[in-house]
Coordinates of all heavy atoms in Angstrom, one line a residue:
G1 N 36.6 -66.5 -24.0 CA 36.7 -66.6 -22.6 C 37.6 -65.5 -22.0 O 38.2 -64.7 -22.7
Y2 N 37.6 -65.4 -20.7 CA 38.4 -64.4 -20.0 C 39.9 -64.7 -20.1 O 40.4 -65.8 -20.0 CB 38.0 -64.5 -18.5 CG 38.9 -63.6 -17.6 CD1 38.6 -62.2 -17.4 CD2 40.0 -64.2 -16.9 CE1 39.5 -61.5 -16.6 CE2 40.8 -63.4 -16.1 CZ 40.5 -62.0 -15.9 OH 41.3 -61.3 -15.1
G3 N 40.6 -63.6 -20.5 CA 42.1 -63.6 -20.5 C 42.6 -62.5 -19.6 O 42.3 -61.3 -19.9
G4 N 43.3 -62.8 -18.6 CA 43.7 -61.9 -17.6 C 44.7 -60.9 -18.1 O 45.3 -61.0 -19.1
P5 N 45.1 -59.9 -17.2 CA 46.1 -58.9 -17.5 C 47.5 -59.5 -17.6 O 47.8 -60.4 -16.9 CB 46.0 -57.9 -16.4 CG 45.4 -58.7 -15.2 CD 44.5 -59.7 -15.9
C6 N 48.3 -59.0 -18.5 CA 49.7 -59.4 -18.7 C 50.4 -58.3 -19.3 O 50.9 -58.4 -20.4 CB 49.8 -60.7 -19.5 SG 51.4 -61.4 -19.6
P7 N 50.5 -57.1 -18.6 CA 51.2 -56.0 -19.2 C 52.7 -56.2 -19.3 O 53.2 -57.0 -18.5 CB 50.9 -54.8 -18.2 CG 50.6 -55.5 -16.9 CD 50.0 -56.8 -17.3
P8 N 53.4 -55.5 -20.2 CA 54.8 -55.7 -20.3 C 55.5 -55.3 -18.9 O 55.1 -54.3 -18.3 CB 55.2 -54.7 -21.4 CG 54.0 -54.5 -22.2 CD 52.9 -54.6 -21.2
P9 N 56.5 -56.0 -18.5 CA 57.2 -55.7 -17.2 C 57.7 -54.3 -17.3 O 58.4 -53.9 -18.2 CB 58.3 -56.8 -17.1 CG 57.8 -57.9 -18.0 CD 57.0 -57.3 -19.1
G10 N 57.5 -53.5 -16.2 CA 58.0 -52.2 -16.1 C 57.3 -51.2 -16.9 O 57.7 -50.0 -16.9
D11 N 56.1 -51.5 -17.5 CA 55.4 -50.6 -18.3 C 54.5 -49.7 -17.5 O 53.8 -48.8 -18.1 CB 54.5 -51.4 -19.3 CG 54.1 -50.6 -20.5 OD1 54.9 -49.7 -21.0 OD2 52.9 -50.7 -21.0
G12 N 54.5 -49.9 -16.2 CA 53.6 -49.1 -15.4 C 52.2 -49.7 -15.3 O 51.9 -50.6 -16.1
P13 N 51.4 -49.3 -14.4 CA 50.0 -49.8 -14.2 C 49.2 -49.6 -15.5 O 49.1 -48.5 -15.9 CB 49.4 -49.1 -13.0 CG 50.6 -48.6 -12.3 CD 51.6 -48.2 -13.3
H14 N 48.6 -50.7 -16.0 CA 47.6 -50.6 -17.1 C 46.2 -50.5 -16.4 O 46.0 -51.0 -15.3 CB 47.7 -51.8 -18.0 CG 48.8 -51.7 -19.0 ND1 48.7 -52.4 -20.2 CD2 50.0 -51.1 -18.9 CE1 49.9 -52.2 -20.9 NE2 50.7 -51.4 -20.1
R15 N 45.3 -49.8 -17.2 CA 43.9 -49.7 -16.7 C 43.1 -50.9 -17.4 O 43.2 -51.1 -18.6 CB 43.3 -48.4 -17.1 CG 44.0 -47.2 -16.4 CD 43.6 -45.9 -17.1 NE 44.1 -45.9 -18.5 CZ 43.7 -45.0 -19.4 NH1 42.7 -44.2 -19.1 NH2 44.2 -45.0 -20.6
Y16 N 42.3 -51.6 -16.5 CA 41.4 -52.6 -17.0 C 40.0 -52.2 -16.7 O 39.6 -52.1 -15.6 CB 41.8 -54.0 -16.4 CG 43.2 -54.3 -16.8 CD1 44.3 -53.9 -16.0 CD2 43.5 -55.0 -18.0 CE1 45.6 -54.2 -16.4 CE2 44.7 -55.3 -18.4 CZ 45.8 -54.9 -17.6 OH 47.1 -55.2 -18.0
I17 N 39.3 -51.8 -17.8 CA 37.9 -51.3 -17.6 C 36.9 -52.4 -17.7 O 36.7 -53.0 -18.8 CB 37.7 -50.2 -18.7 CG1 38.8 -49.1 -18.7 CG2 36.3 -49.6 -18.5 CD1 38.7 -48.1 -19.8
F18 N 36.3 -52.7 -16.6 CA 35.2 -53.7 -16.5 C 33.9 -53.0 -16.7 O 33.6 -52.0 -16.0 CB 35.2 -54.4 -15.1 CG 36.3 -55.3 -14.9 CD1 37.6 -54.8 -14.7 CD2 36.1 -56.7 -14.9 CE1 38.7 -55.7 -14.4 CE2 37.2 -57.6 -14.6 CZ 38.5 -57.1 -14.4
T19 N 33.1 -53.5 -17.7 CA 31.8 -52.8 -18.0 C 30.7 -53.8 -18.2 O 30.9 -54.9 -18.8 CB 32.0 -52.0 -19.3 OG1 33.1 -51.0 -19.2 CG2 30.7 -51.2 -19.7
V20 N 29.6 -53.5 -17.6 CA 28.4 -54.3 -17.9 C 27.5 -53.4 -18.8 O 27.3 -52.2 -18.5 CB 27.6 -54.7 -16.6 CG1 27.2 -53.6 -15.7 CG2 26.4 -55.6 -17.0
H21 N 27.0 -54.0 -19.9 CA 26.1 -53.2 -20.8 C 24.7 -53.7 -20.7 O 24.5 -55.0 -20.8 CB 26.6 -53.5 -22.3 CG 28.1 -53.2 -22.5 ND1 28.5 -52.2 -23.3 CD2 29.2 -53.9 -22.1 CE1 29.8 -52.2 -23.4 NE2 30.3 -53.2 -22.6
A22 N 23.8 -52.8 -20.5 CA 22.4 -53.2 -20.5 C 21.9 -53.0 -21.9 O 22.0 -51.9 -22.5 CB 21.6 -52.3 -19.5
L23 N 21.4 -54.0 -22.5 CA 21.0 -54.0 -23.9 C 19.5 -54.0 -24.1 O 18.7 -54.6 -23.3 CB 21.6 -55.2 -24.6 CG 23.2 -55.4 -24.5 CD1 23.6 -56.7 -25.1 CD2 23.9 -54.2 -25.0
K24 N 19.1 -53.4 -25.2 CA 17.7 -53.4 -25.6 C 17.3 -54.6 -26.4 O 16.1 -54.6 -26.9 CB 17.4 -52.1 -26.4 CG 18.2 -52.0 -27.7 CD 17.9 -50.6 -28.3 CE 18.7 -50.4 -29.6 NZ 18.4 -49.1 -30.2
V25 N 18.2 -55.5 -26.6 CA 17.8 -56.8 -27.4 C 18.1 -58.0 -26.5 O 19.0 -57.9 -25.6 CB 18.6 -56.9 -28.7 CG1 18.2 -55.8 -29.7 CG2 20.1 -56.8 -28.4
D26 N 17.4 -59.0 -26.6 CA 17.6 -60.2 -25.8 C 18.7 -61.2 -26.4 O 19.1 -62.1 -25.7 CB 16.3 -61.0 -25.6 CG 15.6 -61.4 -26.8 OD1 16.3 -61.4 -27.9 OD2 14.5 -61.8 -26.8
H27 N 19.1 -60.8 -27.6 CA 20.1 -61.7 -28.3 C 21.0 -60.9 -29.2 O 20.4 -60.1 -30.0 CB 19.4 -62.8 -29.1 CG 20.3 -63.8 -29.7 ND1 20.9 -64.8 -29.1 CD2 20.8 -63.8 -31.0 CE1 21.7 -65.5 -29.9 NE2 21.6 -64.9 -31.1
V28 N 22.3 -61.0 -29.0 CA 23.2 -60.3 -29.9 C 23.5 -61.2 -31.1 O 24.0 -62.3 -30.9 CB 24.5 -59.9 -29.2 CG1 25.5 -59.3 -30.2 CG2 24.2 -59.0 -28.1
D29 N 23.1 -60.8 -32.3 CA 23.2 -61.6 -33.5 C 24.5 -61.5 -34.1 O 24.7 -60.6 -35.0 CB 22.1 -61.2 -34.4 CG 21.9 -62.2 -35.6 OD1 22.5 -63.3 -35.5 OD2 21.3 -61.9 -36.6
V30 N 25.5 -62.3 -33.7 CA 26.8 -62.3 -34.3 C 27.2 -63.8 -34.6 O 26.7 -64.7 -33.9 CB 27.9 -61.7 -33.4 CG1 27.6 -60.2 -33.3 CG2 27.9 -62.3 -32.1
P31 N 28.1 -64.0 -35.5 CA 28.5 -65.4 -35.8 C 29.2 -66.0 -34.7 O 29.9 -65.3 -33.9 CB 29.4 -65.3 -37.1 CG 29.1 -63.9 -37.6 CD 28.7 -63.1 -36.5
S32 N 29.1 -67.3 -34.5 CA 29.9 -68.0 -33.5 C 31.4 -67.8 -33.8 O 31.9 -67.8 -34.9 CB 29.6 -69.5 -33.6 OG 30.4 -70.2 -32.7
G33 N 32.2 -67.5 -32.7 CA 33.6 -67.2 -32.9 C 33.9 -65.8 -33.3 O 35.0 -65.5 -33.6
A34 N 32.9 -64.9 -33.3 CA 33.1 -63.5 -33.6 C 34.2 -62.9 -32.8 O 34.3 -63.3 -31.6 CB 31.8 -62.7 -33.5
T35 N 34.9 -62.0 -33.3 CA 35.9 -61.3 -32.6 C 35.3 -60.3 -31.6 O 34.1 -59.9 -31.7 CB 36.9 -60.5 -33.5 OG1 36.2 -59.5 -34.1 CG2 37.5 -61.4 -34.5
A36 N 36.1 -59.8 -30.6 CA 35.6 -58.9 -29.6 C 35.2 -57.6 -30.3 O 34.2 -56.9 -29.9 CB 36.8 -58.6 -28.6
A37 N 35.9 -57.1 -31.3 CA 35.6 -55.9 -32.0 C 34.2 -56.0 -32.7 O 33.4 -55.0 -32.7 CB 36.7 -55.5 -33.0
V38 N 34.0 -57.1 -33.3 CA 32.7 -57.3 -34.0 C 31.5 -57.3 -33.0 O 30.5 -56.6 -33.1 CB 32.6 -58.6 -34.8 CG1 31.2 -58.9 -35.3 CG2 33.6 -58.5 -36.0
V39 N 31.7 -58.0 -31.9 CA 30.7 -58.0 -30.8 C 30.6 -56.6 -30.2 O 29.5 -56.1 -30.0 CB 31.0 -59.1 -29.8 CG1 30.0 -59.0 -28.6 CG2 31.1 -60.4 -30.4
G40 N 31.7 -56.0 -30.0 CA 31.7 -54.6 -29.4 C 30.9 -53.6 -30.2 O 30.2 -52.8 -29.7
Y41 N 31.1 -53.7 -31.5 CA 30.3 -52.9 -32.5 C 28.8 -53.1 -32.3 O 28.0 -52.1 -32.3 CB 30.8 -53.2 -33.9 CG 30.1 -52.3 -35.0 CD1 30.6 -51.1 -35.4 CD2 28.9 -52.8 -35.6 CE1 30.0 -50.3 -36.3 CE2 28.3 -52.0 -36.6 CZ 28.9 -50.8 -36.9 OH 28.2 -50.0 -37.9
T42 N 28.4 -54.3 -32.2 CA 27.0 -54.6 -32.1 C 26.5 -54.2 -30.7 O 25.3 -53.7 -30.6 CB 26.8 -56.2 -32.3 OG1 27.4 -56.6 -33.5 CG2 25.3 -56.5 -32.3
L43 N 27.3 -54.4 -29.7 CA 26.9 -53.9 -28.3 C 26.6 -52.4 -28.4 O 25.6 -51.9 -27.8 CB 28.0 -54.2 -27.3 CG 28.2 -55.7 -27.0 CD1 29.3 -55.9 -25.9 CD2 27.0 -56.5 -26.7
H44 N 27.6 -51.7 -29.0 CA 27.4 -50.2 -29.0 C 26.1 -49.8 -29.6 O 25.5 -48.8 -29.2 CB 28.6 -49.6 -29.8 CG 28.7 -48.2 -29.6 ND1 29.6 -47.4 -30.3 CD2 28.1 -47.3 -28.8 CE1 29.5 -46.1 -30.0 NE2 28.6 -46.0 -29.0
A45 N 25.7 -50.5 -30.6 CA 24.5 -50.2 -31.4 C 23.2 -50.5 -30.6 O 22.1 -50.0 -30.9 CB 24.4 -50.9 -32.7
N46 N 23.3 -51.3 -29.5 CA 22.2 -51.8 -28.8 C 22.2 -51.5 -27.3 O 21.4 -52.0 -26.5 CB 22.0 -53.3 -29.0 CG 21.6 -53.7 -30.4 OD1 20.5 -53.5 -30.8 ND2 22.5 -54.2 -31.2

């Protein structure tokens, strides 16, 4: 789920990059509970 920004106090503005990916597959085949990096890898490929 969504977890909002929480940068360290005084660290200066952080950038939050919101992206929508248009995919060539109708289903991303990853295990339930997959990490963001695993899903991100699969998104990049599709």
Side-chain angles (χ1 to χ4, degrees):
Y2 172 84
C6 186
D11 200 38
H14 281 207
R15 296 166 295 164
Y16 297 89
I17 304 171
F18 287 73
T19 303
V20 58
H21 307 249
L23 305 178
K24 62 185 179 182
V25 294
D26 58 12
H27 181 81
V28 175
D29 189 15
V30 294
S32 176
T35 65
V38 168
V39 177
Y41 181 89
T42 307
L43 296 184
H44 193 188
N46 291 285

